[in-house]
Amino acid sequence: MEFFCYHRDRRGSLALREELLEAHWSYMDRFAEGMIARGPTFAEDGETPTGSVHIVDLPDAAAAREFAFAEPNYQAGAYRDVLLRRWRNLLGRTMWDFPRAEGGGDDGHLFLLLGLGPEHTGGAPDTAVPDDRDALVAYGPLLSDDGTVRVGTATLVRAADAGAARTVLDGERYAEVEVHPWEFGGRR
């Protein structure tokens, strides 16, 4: 089962996160085989960390809760909250399969988009993927615990700017669309 986990930083926790960086990476190394995507989000300035995204394949919901809540930054109080949802990898790839921008390791402008809120479409989750698949690092529905109801969408996308990124999700379909600058994560 695939899960989307977004730990949102507690204000003023940057020093604590920096102190725990190696513990965080070592913890995540244990899940490397099932990792679909990972990386930090940032404030609009593109420099101030605001959270940490992990999309990972795990055996079940209990394993997902353990993954999210045993994480060292969470245990130390660096995060203010956690969004943990079942997710479906509609692209069938990982972020390591996504072509990074050429030259100097520049990943271009990358964003996390969360389309949240009621999608009162009923029945099984919609599996339509936006036409520009080449701009998508990861794309899939956020699902109810039993996986039958779509409660939103989470996507990682490359775009010219936040406004262009926002167009990937139809804003009328969601109660709220969040856009967060994001970058590829993991050991450098």
Side-chain angles (χ1 to χ4, degrees), residues 127-145:
T127 58
V129 176
D131 291 335
D132 191 5
R133 293 174 68 98
D134 291 342
L136 303 174
V137 178
Y139 184 90
L142 297 169
L143 302 168
S144 61
D145 289 345

Side-chain angles (χ1 to χ4, degrees):
M1 288 182 185
E2 297 157 334
F3 292 88
F4 174 86
C5 182
Y6 183 35
H7 291 95
R8 296 177 194 257
D9 286 7
R10 179 179 48 80
R11 194 176 307 272
S13 66
L14 180 57
L16 180 58
R17 283 195 63 189
E18 288 173 347
E19 178 184 323
L20 294 170
L21 186 59
E22 181 56 38
H24 168 76
W25 282 348
S26 293
Y27 181 78
M28 290 302 158
D29 287 348
R30 296 175 26 204
F31 302 94
E33 198 169 300
M35 198 66 67
I36 295 165
R38 66 187 285 186
T41 59
F42 298 91
E44 288 182 19
D45 66 11
E47 295 181 19
T48 306
T50 59
S52 189
V53 172
H54 295 90
I55 303 173
V56 63
D57 192 1
L58 296 164
D60 55 35
R65 285 188 296 277
E66 176 72 17
F67 170 84
F69 299 113
E71 194 278 337
N73 288 312
Y74 180 83
Q75 287 294 308
Y79 298 131
R80 69 176 166 94
D81 60 51
V82 179
L83 172 62
L84 179 63
R85 282 287 183 188
R86 284 191 57 187
W87 187 79
R88 185 171 308 137
N89 186 354
L90 296 183
L91 299 177
R93 65 181 182 214
T94 71
M95 74 178 205
W96 295 274
D97 300 322
F98 181 79
R100 291 182 178 217
E102 299 209 8
D106 179 12
D107 293 324
H109 299 285
L110 297 166
F111 299 91
L112 162 66
L113 277 73
L114 295 172
L116 304 170
E119 290 189 41
H120 299 291
T121 57
D126 177 13
T127 58
V129 176
D131 291 335
D132 191 5
R133 293 174 68 98
D134 291 342
L136 303 174
V137 178
Y139 184 90
L142 297 169
L143 302 168
S144 61
D145 289 345
D146 66 3
T148 62
V149 177
R150 185 176 186 149
V151 297
T153 300
T155 184
L156 301 169
V157 61
R158 180 171 32 203
D161 55 38
R166 184 178 292 279
T167 66
V168 171
L169 296 182
D170 177 2
E172 293 185 19
R173 190 171 184 177
Y174 304 97
E176 178 181 2
V177 175
E178 295 180 12
V179 180
H180 305 272
W182 172 79
E183 71 179 32
F184 288 94
R187 295 184 187 275
R188 306 220 184 312

